[in-house]
Amino acid sequence: MLDPKLLRSELEQTAARLARRGYTLDTKLIGTLEIRRKNLKIRTQELQNQRNTHSKAIGHAKANGQDIQPLLNEVASLGDKLKQAESELDAIQAQLLTFQLEIPNLPHDSTPTGNRDSDNIEIRRWGEPRQLAFEPRDHVDLGAEGGLDFEVAAKLTGARFVVIQGQLARLHRALTQFMLDLHTQEHGYREIYAPYLVNADSLRGTGQLPKFESDLFKLSGDLSYYLIPTAEVPITNLARDRIFETNDLPLRYVAHTPCFRSEAGSYGKDVRGMIRQHQFEKVELVQIVRPEESYATLEELTRHAETVLQRLELPYRVMALCTGDIGFASAKTYDLEVWLPGQRKYREISSCSNFEDFQARRLQARWRNPTTGKPELLHTLNGSGLAVGRTLVAVIENYQDERGHIRIPSALKPYLRGLEVIIPDGR
RNA sequence: GGAGAGAUGGCCGAGCGGUCGAAGGCGCAGCACUGGAAAUGCUGUUUAGGGGUAACUCUAACGAGGGUUCGAAUCCCUCUCUCUCCGCCA
């Protein structure tokens, strides 16, 4: 959520900044609602004040044994007027809030202007795609005999699920352990185990609700919980309704969770293979920091995610997403795109964002600023470090040989007890 | 799943229809005392919104939402969470 003050005192400038990301702010509507809100607020407070003074007077009179009937007559009509004013105020505030919750974050000045992913800007590259002396196969093809089974998953559940078996399942698990160890032992993150089901408040806090309900899986029973679309939701919500001291900061969390996404509206996209699934594993990095540090933190967090790819020796590039491509809650986002020989393309494997105070305002995640002594909003950031399923795909495709064997990246060997190569066993 | 108890400020805890944003204690901050510290004393110490240059002032919040009342932390209803006992369970 944006600072409501921006909508009160800098409405036109705010609209201009939002226009850069293709969002049209209805300034007329907001202006009208704001004036009504302010007038109703003043009127309500006046009436409340009258009620309070009268009630106190009645209390005193009663204590002194005086007749309170004349005082009661005075306030007779007050209650109805107040109720009327309060309900009008509630209605308009609800209307304003609904509107505000649907407004996306302001893009940071350094976020390039653009409409689509082709307007994203490449920041840097690491590694060279390997020159293969044979026609590379994609992971679906390579995995067919090695344990990636989309058909049996379709039988168990439906489309966009996978069953992984044998050495590939083990590799998948090794990747997760490797990532967690790297971030906890070398990058200073605290490992978290958290619920995979969350309530609506948590999703509102990080910005998935109210606008993106159709992207989520929701339970249909008595408990109205949602499956998490990313660990960002439970982890960032750890800071909800809290005020941290300077010494507590920065908060650095890493969590490995499954992620569940309905992928509504993505029909026809990436239907082949493991790229876009309803369920996938992700190791997520979350940092909650003081506002003045957040852009340095974004660079740092992105480097932490890049380190995973470097250790796995997977070629990638870093993209600065344009204003038209950043997420609803983000002010600035870097995507990491890994080279996939099977597609001859760089494909997204991590997304690292600074949300500034957009989530923190919804969450009321604050810190006590020692210079002002006041609680102030924190900045929240997160990034995938990395999407495990897509990393598995990248390893399979980048480490294949012409026989369809998959070499094990040396960084993973300690996690696989010296396994050197995965040879499809056909079982 | 059944029965019962509870939720008050950073923490503990009193209040059970009016002068209560809330006693008291702990913690924290400042000042005094001290060579320094401890102990002690004094003062201060929730958050959000509105008005005012400011001193200050108004409004709201005692788990959440609704109701009764001139007036609710206090009475009533619903929900959430915590604890105890029984049952079930990885």
Side-chain angles (χ1 to χ4, degrees):
Chain A
M1 207 166 90
L2 298 182
D3 187 346
K5 289 188 184 115
L6 289 176
L7 301 179
R8 288 175 199 161
S9 51
E10 295 174 37
L11 188 54
E12 292 306 325
Q13 297 95 308
T14 305
R17 291 171 69 188
L18 285 168
R20 203 159 76 85
R21 60 180 294 167
Y23 182 88
T24 310
L25 188 66
D26 191 341
T27 54
K28 237 184 192 149
L29 176 64
I30 292 193
T32 315
L33 288 175
E34 268 303 332
I35 289 167
R36 284 187 56 203
R37 185 198 61 83
K38 195 164 185 179
N39 290 336
L40 277 166
K41 179 91 176 173
I42 289 168
R43 170 155 174 78
T44 307
Q45 291 197 350
E46 273 171 7
L47 289 168
Q48 284 169 331
N49 187 321
Q50 280 181 41
R51 181 203 58 197
N52 291 347
T53 16
H54 281 104
S55 293
K56 265 184 191 165
I58 291 171
H60 283 297
K62 222 175 166 180
N64 297 333
Q66 294 162 358
D67 180 17
I68 57 168
Q69 196 52 47
L71 288 166
L72 284 177
N73 294 341
E74 270 182 60
V75 284
S77 65
L78 205 60
D80 288 341
K81 280 194 220 160
L82 181 58
K83 231 166 224 172
Q84 171 78 16
E86 278 176 342
S87 71
E88 280 179 39
L89 180 63
D90 284 350
I92 198 125
Q93 281 178 333
Q95 201 179 343
L96 265 167
L97 182 65
T98 304
F99 196 83
Q100 286 167 7
L101 286 173
E102 307 253 328
I103 302 173
N105 201 0
L106 298 169
H108 188 248
D109 287 344
S110 67
T111 293
T113 304
N115 299 317
R116 56 193 69 79
D117 58 5
S118 56
D119 296 322
N120 296 340
I121 291 178
E122 183 175 318
I123 303 294
R124 58 182 169 267
R125 276 184 193 220
W126 186 92
E128 280 294 317
R130 286 181 188 79
Q131 295 304 311
L132 300 175
F134 58 95
E135 188 66 17
R137 299 151 71 185
D138 79 358
H139 68 283
V140 180
D141 202 356
L142 285 162
E145 292 184 354
L148 284 189
D149 196 333
F150 297 97
E151 285 183 19
V152 77
K155 178 175 76 180
L156 301 183
T157 309
R160 293 197 192 273
F161 288 88
V162 68
V163 169
I164 313 177
Q165 300 193 28
Q167 298 289 43
L168 287 182
R170 195 178 169 207
L171 176 60
H172 187 250
R173 175 162 56 88
L175 281 166
T176 307
Q177 301 306 323
F178 161 67
M179 292 178 198
L180 283 169
D181 284 350
L182 175 67
H183 297 310
T184 54
Q185 290 165 25
E186 297 186 40
H187 297 153
Y189 289 78
R190 180 178 178 80
E191 185 168 346
I192 304 284
Y193 172 82
Y196 303 156
L197 298 175
V198 292
N199 57 34
D201 284 340
S202 292
L203 288 156
R204 207 170 296 117
T206 35
Q208 284 79 14
L209 288 180
K211 206 170 182 180
F212 304 102
E213 177 148 31
S214 63
D215 296 340
L216 301 166
F217 286 110
K218 185 179 186 179
L219 266 57
S220 66
D222 291 339
L223 298 169
S224 53
Y225 296 154
Y226 297 80
L227 275 67
I228 56 170
T230 159
E232 162 193 351
V233 179
I235 303 306
T236 311
N237 271 277
L238 292 173
R240 189 166 90 208
D241 293 324
R242 292 197 55 186
I243 300 172
F244 294 93
E245 301 300 328
T246 315
N247 291 343
D248 301 330
L249 301 169
L251 300 172
R252 289 186 172 140
Y253 296 126
V254 60
H256 159 236
T257 69
C259 303
F260 303 94
R261 300 189 181 175
S262 80
E263 298 294 352
S266 71
Y267 304 111
K269 275 186 210 162
D270 300 312
V271 285
R272 184 174 163 84
M274 281 185 70
I275 297 296
R276 196 174 297 276
Q277 301 267 286
H278 286 311
Q279 171 186 321
F280 61 95
E281 303 284 304
K282 185 152 58 67
V283 171
E284 182 77 356
L285 305 172
V286 172
Q287 289 213 42
I288 300 175
V289 306
R290 300 185 346 226
E292 64 266 29
E293 293 172 349
S294 69
Y295 279 93
T297 301
L298 178 62
E299 298 300 321
E300 175 195 80
L301 187 145
T302 306
R303 294 285 182 184
H304 292 156
E306 286 177 63
T307 303
V308 178
L309 289 166
Q310 292 178 11
R311 295 284 173 90
L312 293 173
E313 299 171 75
L314 293 168
Y316 67 89
R317 60 179 188 176
V318 182
M319 306 295 288
L321 296 196
C322 73
T323 50
D325 208 24
I326 55 173
F328 175 76
S330 175
K332 182 170 189 178
T333 298
Y334 291 121
D335 269 10
L336 305 187
E337 296 183 345
V338 69
W339 177 253
L340 292 187
Q343 299 192 10
R344 297 179 196 282
K345 267 189 199 159
Y346 284 99
R347 289 302 306 256
E348 178 187 344
I349 198 166
S350 170
S351 195
C352 304
S353 301
N354 185 358
F355 305 97
E356 298 187 2
D357 62 13
F358 188 86
Q359 293 181 327
R361 183 168 293 105
R362 294 170 171 231
L363 293 161
Q364 285 302 297
R366 294 177 291 174
W367 68 301
R368 195 170 295 278
N369 185 339
T371 53
T372 61
K374 291 284 169 197
E376 296 174 11
L377 294 173
L378 288 158
H379 280 194
T380 62
L381 304 97
N382 68 54
S384 357
L386 306 164
V388 182
R390 289 187 182 181
T391 309
L392 180 72
V393 167
V395 169
I396 291 173
E397 293 195 8
N398 280 279
Y399 282 85
Q400 63 178 301
D401 69 15
E402 54 194 327
R403 294 166 298 178
H405 297 183
I406 295 150
R407 280 197 302 114
I408 300 299
S410 45
L412 291 179
K413 284 180 186 164
Y415 296 90
L416 291 164
R417 307 217 182 178
L419 185 71
E420 295 283 338
V421 64
I422 294 177
I423 301 168
D425 56 13
R427 280 187 292 139

